[in-house]
Amino acid sequence: MVPRGRPRDTQVDERVLRIAAALLLERGYTGLSIDEVAEQAGVAKTTLYRRWPAKDHLAVAVVARLQADDEITDTGDIRADLVNYLEKIAAGLNRMRAAGHREGPSAGTVGELVAAAARHEDIGRLTRKQYAERNTLALALIEAARVRGELRADLDAEPLFDQLAGALYYRVMITGAPVDRAYVERLVSSALERNLTCP
Amino acid sequence: MVPRGRPRDTQVDERVLRIAAALLLERGYTGLSIDEVAEQAGVAKTTLYRRWPAKDHLAVAVVARLQADDEITDTGDIRADLVNYLEKIAAGLNRMRAAGHREGPSAGTVGELVAAAARHEDIGRLTRKQYAERNTLALALIEAARVRGELRADLDAEPLFDQLAGALYYRVMITGAPVDRAYVERLVSSALERNLTCP
Amino acid sequence: MVPRGRPRDTQVDERVLRIAAALLLERGYTGLSIDEVAEQAGVAKTTLYRRWPAKDHLAVAVVARLQADDEITDTGDIRADLVNYLEKIAAGLNRMRAAGHREGPSAGTVGELVAAAARHEDIGRLTRKQYAERNTLALALIEAARVRGELRADLDAEPLFDQLAGALYYRVMITGAPVDRAYVERLVSSALERNLTCP
Amino acid sequence: MVPRGRPRDTQVDERVLRIAAALLLERGYTGLSIDEVAEQAGVAKTTLYRRWPAKDHLAVAVVARLQADDEITDTGDIRADLVNYLEKIAAGLNRMRAAGHREGPSAGTVGELVAAAARHEDIGRLTRKQYAERNTLALALIEAARVRGELRADLDAEPLFDQLAGALYYRVMITGAPVDRAYVERLVSSALERNLTCP
DNA sequence: CACTAAACGAGACGGTACGTCTCGTCTTCTG
DNA sequence: CAGAAGACGAGACGTACCGTCTCGTTTAGTG
């Protein structure tokens, strides 16, 4: 398939995403205005809509780039690996938390993205797929630890990871409590140690 | 303090919240229009804004009323009590999930509310306070179980409840996975049983 | 007929009119807000509406009081008498001109009063009656001058006074040109001297 | 200068002004609602506000178009020319008089326009400029008559025209008296003949 | 080099909701 | 009853976005 017509200006993507990121982080989701992005980027609105079909898509793209690659590593020490991985997730969330001037404790932008995923089926599919991949990796990590005997044999991995990741999101979005290294370690401890007393 | 002037019509709150709830659940956050609520409720917009300073505030009030009284009970069986309580939370979330057109897997409305809390400092304070109360109750439940020996003595209650509630929110908002009774039971089991093998 | 119940507080009228005048002159007709007048006067809106059925009526009352009594005097010198009288009218108009911060050249408040008279039949009747009285006096003045031979015998008094008063209003409302003593004298001269060359 | 961007739809101006004129004449100034104009013209409110920054501006534009071209002609007979020209002005005023419900004697709409000119500096400038042009033409007409000896050599043209036009406005806005051909002729006679008896 | 196809800048446009601002009416309690 | 206080209905206003459209202009590749 031969490309016809004038090729897209690749610098546009870069410039737009940079400026959109600045706006999003500085003023929050509402403050991210298509008109303003276009103007600041010296780009026509048409050009934006040629690349991202709606503001929500642009916002998702911006955040996706901010989160980047949360690598997962398996050192054989499940506790350390989980702490390590969860900390990366926490870092991404904390970055969102700063968005929107007031820098209140709650990460409104994360909420907006959830809403965006609900508004647009394609965004929903995309983000769920990405989260599914992340989940798969984490579950594999846990499974490996189970197989090699670090975790108990009849472990239910799915809710375990839900608990870990969920606690982070819960604090960031709902209670507004801090999510730092100390908390992550408490969290992993709480999740891995037995809680019920042995009868 | 003596009340001065014409007292507020208490029926208005009732009527408005009922209609707003219907709109919110049927058409989602965007479909909840102040003008329409006012019209359907036979109320002037001024009257709405006298009670709720912005649409966000109305929406939060609507949802607060839908969640309403998630009573927590202490039967002496911490596992059953937690399952019971989490199911109530899950029910509330699932109700939100249905909100808005496509009945997609993700509860966009919850995300909007998180965003609303971030946009308005007062909403943020209010909701965090409410969640803090809920947390307090749950932590007391857990603490009581610890004291009477159902849970281990050195239990860290805070992350434990974060894990439980967080997992529900995480699935509803992020992964889109179902949150039903079966899952809640798996979740509580996962959180309460020991996961690390004894060395 | 015996008066029953609490008698009206006569101080209210005074206070309200004073404050309304201040607002009207300072901010113009739009800036004259019933709510604000009530608040500043320490008076309930009910009380205002008991006295003046609408904002327009209050405004008219305010202006009527500002104009007060344009006395007309007959010294036997029609030119001087007219100049004298027109100057009083001009003074009233110039007072209105200052109204509304921008102190532009045009007296918007006069226009608003005209509009008010058109909106409310009763205001229209009232003001037209007042203007009719003024007219009657002026016409009598002119007529007397005619009878005693100062003015020509077949003079048409009605358009003559229309011309004089009208020119003032025209400049104040339409062209924005100044209306001072010098102009009034030119005006009277122009109206009284013959303009057509004698054939 | 190259035109950039999508050109304005010229039909919009036409349609909007037509419909706005209909509303203004039928229901008066208050009855001229931006929302309704937009709806009836099949045009977005945004489009209206792009052309006229406020309702006042639209109203002025509507009236300006109604008045349109009051051509002035110089036949060499100053009396006839003045009558002719004043009649055109009177016609415009009488058209305004009909505007708004009660078809009362006073042209409230003219008052509203005066008020509009006072509220917005730009409208004031614009309308004063237009009236200045009209004045210039009329003064030229009078001046020509003076030069050719129809009017006396030391005539003061400015107050003369003020008197003529002013009388019309005065009757329409203030006294509510009729302004028809007969009156215009009396008016011109009154203004042109000598009024003082020769001493 | 002409021609085609698409990207691009600019900005008008339709649509829609928001939140604000008055006005004039009403309802309650107090003197 | 008058008055203070303030809720209420009604309705327009002007604003702020979004996403689409319609131009004219540029930038490639192709015959």
Side-chain angles (χ1 to χ4, degrees):
Chain A
M1 163 99 184
V2 184
R4 308 275 262 140
R6 175 174 171 177
R8 289 205 180 159
D9 183 343
T10 52
Q11 297 184 36
V12 165
D13 299 71
E14 224 292 306
R15 224 180 331 152
V16 167
L17 286 174
R18 204 182 56 240
I19 286 175
L23 275 175
L24 183 63
L25 291 179
E26 188 187 342
R27 303 199 213 152
Y29 196 87
T30 308
L32 176 69
S33 147
I34 292 284
D35 290 74
E36 193 165 358
V37 169
E39 189 184 334
Q40 287 194 20
V43 150
K45 282 209 292 176
T46 334
T47 304
L48 289 188
Y49 280 99
R50 196 170 294 120
R51 288 164 164 79
W52 301 277
K55 168 176 166 175
D56 282 338
H57 296 76
L58 173 58
V60 168
V62 166
V63 173
R65 160 186 264 220
L66 286 180
Q67 305 296 34
D69 25 65
D70 290 352
E71 290 291 330
I72 198 165
T73 53
D74 188 345
T75 64
D77 179 352
I78 185 64
R79 170 178 231 119
D81 288 343
L82 282 176
V83 167
N84 190 33
Y85 187 44
L86 290 175
E87 258 203 309
K88 285 179 185 158
I89 296 178
L93 289 174
N94 282 326
R95 235 170 291 151
M96 289 296 95
R97 209 164 210 173
H101 41 110
R102 276 178 305 292
E103 65 171 87
S106 171
T109 302
V110 181
E112 300 276 15
L113 294 177
V114 170
R119 279 192 289 262
H120 309 274
E121 187 48 38
D122 55 344
I123 294 184
R125 264 199 306 273
L126 179 65
T127 56
R128 278 195 301 277
K129 210 186 81 185
Q130 292 175 339
Y131 283 116
E133 283 171 15
R134 179 166 97 177
N135 250 30
T136 305
L137 292 177
L139 293 183
L141 184 75
I142 293 170
E143 181 63 11
R146 189 186 65 80
V147 168
R148 73 175 167 258
E150 241 190 321
L151 298 174
R152 65 189 169 88
D154 62 343
L155 179 88
D156 192 358
E158 189 183 351
L160 176 59
F161 186 66
D162 286 347
Q163 285 171 67
L164 292 168
L168 301 183
Y169 279 87
Y170 184 66
R171 288 170 75 91
V172 167
M173 299 177 72
I174 308 297
T175 67
V179 174
D180 49 18
R181 175 165 189 91
Y183 178 74
V184 171
E185 287 181 343
R186 279 173 69 198
L187 178 63
V188 172
S189 292
S190 168
L192 295 186
E193 312 300 341
R194 69 180 183 286
N195 288 319
L196 283 184
T197 52
C198 300
Chain B
M1 162 95 186
V2 184
R4 308 289 240 115
R6 175 173 174 176
R8 292 213 177 153
D9 184 341
T10 52
Q11 298 184 35
V12 165
D13 300 66
E14 223 288 306
R15 227 180 328 151
V16 166
L17 288 174
R18 203 182 57 240
I19 287 176
L23 275 176
L24 183 63
L25 290 179
E26 189 187 340
R27 303 198 211 152
Y29 197 87
T30 308
L32 174 68
S33 146
I34 293 283
D35 290 74
E36 194 166 357
V37 169
E39 190 186 334
Q40 288 194 19
V43 149
K45 277 209 293 177
T46 342
T47 304
L48 289 189
Y49 280 101
R50 194 171 296 118
R51 288 166 163 77
W52 302 277
K55 169 177 167 174
D56 282 339
H57 297 75
L58 174 57
V60 167
V62 165
V63 173
R65 159 183 262 222
L66 285 182
Q67 310 297 43
D69 27 64
D70 290 352
E71 290 291 329
I72 199 165
T73 53
D74 188 344
T75 65
D77 178 352
I78 184 64
R79 169 180 230 116
D81 288 344
L82 283 175
V83 167
N84 190 31
Y85 187 42
L86 290 176
E87 258 203 309
K88 285 179 185 158
I89 295 178
L93 289 174
N94 282 325
R95 234 171 291 150
M96 289 296 97
R97 211 166 208 172
H101 34 114
R102 276 180 302 298
E103 62 172 271
S106 172
T109 301
V110 181
E112 302 274 14
L113 294 176
V114 171
R119 279 191 288 260
H120 309 274
E121 186 48 37
D122 55 347
I123 295 185
R125 265 197 305 273
L126 178 66
T127 57
R128 279 196 300 277
K129 210 187 80 187
Q130 290 175 337
Y131 282 116
E133 283 172 16
R134 178 167 101 178
N135 251 31
T136 304
L137 293 178
L139 294 182
L141 183 77
I142 293 170
E143 180 64 8
R146 190 185 66 79
V147 167
R148 72 173 169 261
E150 240 189 320
L151 297 174
R152 67 190 167 89
D154 62 341
L155 179 87
D156 192 358
E158 189 182 351
L160 177 58
F161 186 66
D162 287 347
Q163 285 170 67
L164 292 168
L168 301 183
Y169 280 87
Y170 184 66
R171 288 170 74 91
V172 167
M173 300 178 72
I174 308 296
T175 67
V179 174
D180 49 19
R181 176 164 188 92
Y183 178 75
V184 170
E185 288 181 341
R186 279 172 71 198
L187 178 63
V188 172
S189 293
S190 168
L192 295 187
E193 312 300 342
R194 71 179 179 283
N195 288 317
L196 283 184
T197 52
C198 299
Chain C
M1 162 99 180
V2 184
R4 309 272 265 136
R6 175 173 172 176
R8 287 204 183 165
D9 184 343
T10 51
Q11 298 183 36
V12 165
D13 298 71
E14 224 293 302
R15 223 180 333 148
V16 167
L17 286 174
R18 202 182 59 239
I19 286 176
L23 275 176
L24 183 63
L25 291 179
E26 189 187 341
R27 302 198 214 152
Y29 195 87
T30 308
L32 175 69
S33 149
I34 292 283
D35 291 74
E36 194 166 358
V37 170
E39 190 185 334
Q40 288 194 20
V43 150
K45 283 207 295 174
T46 333
T47 306
L48 289 188
Y49 279 100
R50 196 171 291 120
R51 288 166 164 77
W52 300 277
K55 167 177 168 175
D56 282 337
H57 297 76
L58 174 57
V60 168
V62 165
V63 173
R65 158 184 266 219
L66 286 181
Q67 305 297 36
D69 27 65
D70 291 350
E71 291 291 331
I72 198 165
T73 53
D74 188 343
T75 65
D77 178 351
I78 184 64
R79 171 180 227 116
D81 288 343
L82 283 175
V83 167
N84 191 31
Y85 188 42
L86 290 175
E87 259 203 309
K88 286 179 186 158
I89 296 177
L93 289 174
N94 282 325
R95 235 170 291 149
M96 287 297 96
R97 208 164 211 174
H101 40 110
R102 272 179 305 294
E103 62 172 271
S106 172
T109 302
V110 181
E112 301 276 15
L113 294 177
V114 171
R119 279 190 289 260
H120 308 274
E121 188 47 37
D122 55 345
I123 294 184
R125 264 198 307 274
L126 178 65
T127 57
R128 278 196 302 276
K129 209 187 80 187
Q130 291 176 338
Y131 283 116
E133 284 173 14
R134 179 166 97 179
N135 250 31
T136 304
L137 292 177
L139 293 182
L141 183 75
I142 293 170
E143 181 63 9
R146 188 184 66 81
V147 167
R148 73 174 168 262
E150 238 189 324
L151 298 174
R152 64 190 169 89
D154 62 342
L155 179 88
D156 192 359
E158 189 181 352
L160 178 59
F161 186 65
D162 287 347
Q163 286 169 67
L164 293 169
L168 301 184
Y169 280 86
Y170 184 65
R171 287 170 75 91
V172 167
M173 299 177 71
I174 309 295
T175 68
V179 174
D180 49 19
R181 175 165 189 91
Y183 179 75
V184 170
E185 289 182 340
R186 279 173 70 197
L187 178 62
V188 172
S189 294
S190 168
L192 295 187
E193 312 300 342
R194 70 181 183 285
N195 288 319
L196 282 184
T197 52
C198 299
Chain D
M1 165 85 186
V2 184
R4 309 291 237 110
R6 176 173 173 175
R8 290 211 175 157
D9 184 342
T10 52
Q11 297 185 35
V12 165
D13 299 65
E14 224 289 306
R15 227 179 328 151
V16 166
L17 287 174
R18 203 182 57 238
I19 286 175
L23 276 175
L24 182 63
L25 290 179
E26 188 188 340
R27 303 199 211 152
Y29 197 86
T30 309
L32 174 68
S33 145
I34 292 282
D35 290 75
E36 194 164 359
V37 170
E39 190 184 335
Q40 287 194 21
V43 149
K45 275 210 293 178
T46 345
T47 302
L48 289 189
Y49 280 101
R50 195 171 295 118
R51 288 167 162 77
W52 302 279
K55 170 177 164 172
D56 282 339
H57 296 75
L58 175 57
V60 167
V62 165
V63 173
R65 159 183 264 222
L66 285 181
Q67 309 297 47
D69 26 64
D70 289 353
E71 290 293 328
I72 199 165
T73 54
D74 188 344
T75 65
D77 177 352
I78 185 63
R79 171 180 227 116
D81 288 343
L82 283 176
V83 167
N84 190 32
Y85 188 43
L86 290 175
E87 259 203 309
K88 285 179 185 158
I89 296 177
L93 289 174
N94 282 325
R95 233 171 292 150
M96 288 297 96
R97 212 165 208 173
H101 35 115
R102 278 180 301 296
E103 63 173 272
S106 171
T109 301
V110 181
E112 302 275 14
L113 294 177
V114 172
R119 279 190 289 262
H120 308 274
E121 186 48 37
D122 54 346
I123 294 184
R125 264 197 307 272
L126 179 65
T127 57
R128 279 197 300 277
K129 210 186 79 187
Q130 291 175 339
Y131 283 116
E133 285 173 15
R134 179 167 99 177
N135 251 32
T136 305
L137 293 177
L139 294 183
L141 183 75
I142 293 171
E143 180 63 9
R146 190 185 65 80
V147 168
R148 73 175 168 259
E150 240 190 320
L151 297 174
R152 66 189 168 90
D154 63 341
L155 178 88
D156 193 359
E158 190 183 350
L160 177 58
F161 186 66
D162 287 346
Q163 286 171 66
L164 293 169
L168 301 183
Y169 280 87
Y170 184 66
R171 289 170 75 90
V172 167
M173 299 178 72
I174 308 296
T175 68
V179 174
D180 48 20
R181 173 161 192 94
Y183 178 75
V184 170
E185 288 181 342
R186 279 174 69 199
L187 178 62
V188 172
S189 293
S190 168
L192 295 188
E193 312 299 344
R194 69 177 180 285
N195 288 319
L196 282 184
T197 51
C198 299

